[in-house]
Amino acid sequence: MPSAKDLKRALDRVRTAIPAQRKLEGDRRNIRLGLERITRALQTEQNWTGVHVGGTNGKGSICTLLSYMFRLSGVSHGLFTSPSIFGPRHGVLVNGMYPNQRLYESEIKNVQNRFAKAASAWTFQSGEDPGPLTPFELDTAVAFRVFNTLHVKYGIVEVGMGGASDATNAMDGSKKGVTVISKIGLDHQEYLGNTIEEIAAVKAGIMRPFVPCIIDHTNSVEVLRVLTEHARSIGAPYYLTDEAADLLNPLDTKKFQLEDYEKQNLLCALLAFEKLFPKMEVDINALLSRRPYPPGRKDLINVSGLTHGLRKTPVFVDGAHNMLGVQTLSSYVNNQIRKSDEPVTWIMGLSASKSKPFASLIETLVQPQDRFAFVEYQPLSTEPSAVPAELGREIAESTLGSSEQVYDGEPSIDAALKWACEKAGNENPIVVTGSLYLIRELLATEGVHTQRKFKTMRPGRAQLWYYTQLAQRRELTEEEAHEFKQARRHWRLNPIRNSALGSQEQEQPRITPVVSEETKEVQSRAAYHEKQAHRYAQAIESIELDTENGVPTVAAEQAAKKGRKAEGAKVDMMITLEELIRRQGEHIAAYQKAMHELRGYKKPIPEMKFMSYEQIYGRAPNVYRRKKKLPRRDSQEQVREEQQPELEQVKEANVTNESK
């Protein structure tokens, strides 16, 4: 009779052998390529210039490099990458900061309402109901709306999957400033095609006529042929990265030892930036000193809290989850992390896929002396399931030839990380890699901290008006009250409204507000309770400090002089301490109540009235600035006739480049 372990292995093999379509249904993933739905969810007008980056590997890194270049140059921009480790909102950055939570949620509602209204009046040609937006379509539409709302000049957008039929390709083609195609390999074959040529043809779909396209020249001959032929056919000028190798001449090679793939990603970003801003230069050494990598890529993670101080050296994290990514990671680890023949301890977790070569991925990374742990993550409802840990362990044992070097415990990231730290100690390298869903779970683990963090944008006028209305209906939560306070402070500190921050010429005479007796009484009450709470805190701290250091109290000394036992005095002192703590709590509660009354959370008072819509926005409700009417577009035939001479010039230029 087979053992439970044998049965589990058999079930694991069955799970990984399920056809791709059935597995996707089982995982409840919602991936539908095509632009029919998202075009109805987007705003009709795009106010920013698009930078569209596609490919298989390196596209996220190129987007992040471009974002850091824009920040160094002071150019207003937004960044949209996917999948985001920390959630959809954290896949959007505006000038290096996450959008405010309230703003993001309001844009989600706007997209959903717009699509619901549009979808009620149409169906596919086949008669099929369009259904709701997919999660990625929703994230993309919201990111585009955030860019519009915050008036960014440029939007750097990473392609999700493929190119031509990807939701991000709903970007206005006439507003694209440059496109970039990084290294292309076999990935997502169930959606994009089974051959490298088919995949390249799909990814070439982000090109547009007259819009320069940057292509990673290290792509295979087959891929380059497909990309360049498509560029010539539509009249898109293209540039291979080997033509701009001199852009890396200022690089300090002693300080920054880049792998070949890193140089190509940097070249793609530099060349794209040059096409957008021919007269601007980028200090690549200053750029690289900022560690311009996306979250989960070449990240250093502090795990001392998880291991209770056992491991103080950071753990290296990189979300390599396909063959190209694993090959580049292996090269980086062997050249810059691995110490001669000392072992590297690997922790890996992957998402299930019929086309992913699990054995080859593991064999590419590990060497005979290494240690290896294969773990699972907990997927959300719309995410792919994890590859069973037992399957990864079997492959690792056959590769390493020894079960002692393979982790055989609970298949969770925190348990495996503790095992890895025990085996590697404080100095030997530990590398966590695989699915970004695994990296997300790692960063959410208690005691684990990343060194790379981004701030969140302060709430603006929309949030201020929202919380002004909400505070009059109910008491705000602690988080809402904090954001309301931020919104008010941000509004008041605007140089347009604050004379102290404006120019001397615009400074207006300050008028001291008249404070009523009622308000003065509340202010006095709040100040009294605040001081009393502070005094009680000092008394409590003093008694606790005496108790810890064994210092006898006056009561204990008097009891000793009278020949009584000191235990009773100690008990009395503990009762006194509890009473002090109770009274301190009462003063804190009374102070908070008074401050809530002053700020108008519960009962508005004359000097603390809520701001009106007109005060916040500077105009009355329902009064909008009229937009200039755009001239009517000519027919498509007339546009083609006007663009034909320019199109022929671009084609001739591409042919000339090829002959050279």
Side-chain angles (χ1 to χ4, degrees), residues 380-401:
L380 301 178
S381 59
T382 58
E383 296 171 353
S385 59
V387 173
E390 184 67 24
L391 181 66
R393 283 197 289 265
E394 284 186 3
I395 297 172
E397 287 178 6
S398 63
T399 303
L400 295 171

Side-chain angles (χ1 to χ4, degrees), residues 81-306:
T81 57
S82 62
S84 171
I85 292 179
F86 305 108
R89 181 172 69 92
H90 296 89
V92 181
L93 287 171
V94 176
N95 297 324
M97 292 191 291
Y98 296 125
N100 181 266
Q101 177 73 31
R102 170 63 193 156
L103 169 67
Y104 194 83
E105 290 174 354
S106 66
E107 294 300 352
I108 289 177
K109 291 180 182 178
N110 290 335
V111 170
Q112 290 173 333
N113 293 339
R114 184 182 182 88
F115 180 74
K117 185 177 180 180
S120 62
W122 69 281
T123 58
F124 287 114
Q125 290 182 351
S126 60
E128 178 188 355
D129 184 350
L133 291 169
T134 67
F136 182 69
E137 288 172 335
L138 179 62
D139 295 345
T140 303
V142 171
F144 287 9
R145 282 192 69 100
V146 169
F147 292 171
N148 265 3
T149 301
L150 298 180
H151 307 291
V152 300
K153 295 292 182 63
Y154 292 86
I156 306 168
V157 178
E158 178 189 5
V159 173
M161 182 190 297
S165 55
D166 184 75
T168 61
N169 210 30
M171 184 191 308
D172 187 346
S174 65
K175 293 290 184 68
K176 284 189 179 183
V178 66
T179 60
V180 182
I181 298 181
S182 65
K183 193 72 175 286
I184 294 177
L186 292 172
D187 198 15
H188 301 299
Q189 290 97 308
E190 59 266 38
Y191 296 100
L192 307 180
N194 294 318
T195 65
I196 195 76
E197 292 87 353
E198 291 175 340
I199 294 174
V202 175
K203 293 183 182 291
I206 67 172
M207 296 183 191
R208 289 293 182 272
F210 317 118
V211 178
C213 179
I214 313 302
I215 301 174
D216 186 335
H217 86 278
T218 62
N219 275 295
S220 64
V221 176
E222 296 81 8
V223 169
L224 291 177
R225 184 179 66 251
V226 172
L227 296 179
T228 54
E229 286 180 356
H230 181 77
R232 288 195 300 272
S233 69
I234 67 169
Y238 63 87
Y239 304 87
L240 302 180
T241 51
D242 60 345
E243 301 172 2
D246 57 338
L247 293 176
L248 295 181
N249 289 342
L251 178 65
D252 185 349
T253 54
K254 293 182 179 179
K255 186 177 180 180
F256 305 105
Q257 300 175 0
L258 303 182
E259 297 296 310
D260 289 339
Y261 74 93
E262 292 179 296
K263 292 179 181 177
Q264 291 307 314
N265 291 341
L266 181 56
L267 270 176
C268 285
L270 287 170
L271 198 50
F273 189 86
E274 184 184 67
K275 297 304 173 186
L276 290 170
F277 311 105
K279 297 183 179 181
M280 295 178 68
E281 295 184 358
V282 175
D283 185 342
I284 57 177
N285 295 306
L287 172 72
L288 295 176
S289 64
R290 297 193 174 201
R291 293 186 59 81
Y293 311 116
R297 302 286 188 177
K298 294 185 70 175
D299 211 346
L300 296 175
I301 304 298
N302 188 333
V303 296
S304 59
L306 178 68

Side-chain angles (χ1 to χ4, degrees), residues 83-86 294-301 315-321 329 347-350 375-378 413 431-445 448 450 452:
S84 171
I85 292 179
F86 305 108
R297 302 286 188 177
K298 294 185 70 175
D299 211 346
L300 296 175
I301 304 298
V315 170
F316 185 81
V317 174
D318 190 90
H321 53 272
L329 174 61
I347 301 176
M348 190 178 203
L350 295 167
V375 297
E376 302 174 11
Y377 60 86
Q378 297 298 321
I413 182 63
V431 180
V432 181
T433 187
S435 172
L436 291 176
Y437 304 121
L438 174 71
I439 308 301
R440 176 192 62 199
E441 201 163 291
L442 167 66
L443 296 177
T445 303
V448 174
T450 177
R452 193 177 303 148

Side-chain angles (χ1 to χ4, degrees), residues 373-376 389 393 407-417 419:
F374 200 90
V375 297
E376 302 174 11
R393 283 197 289 265
Y407 173 67
D408 195 26
E410 181 186 350
S412 63
I413 182 63
D414 54 340
L417 192 54
W419 169 84

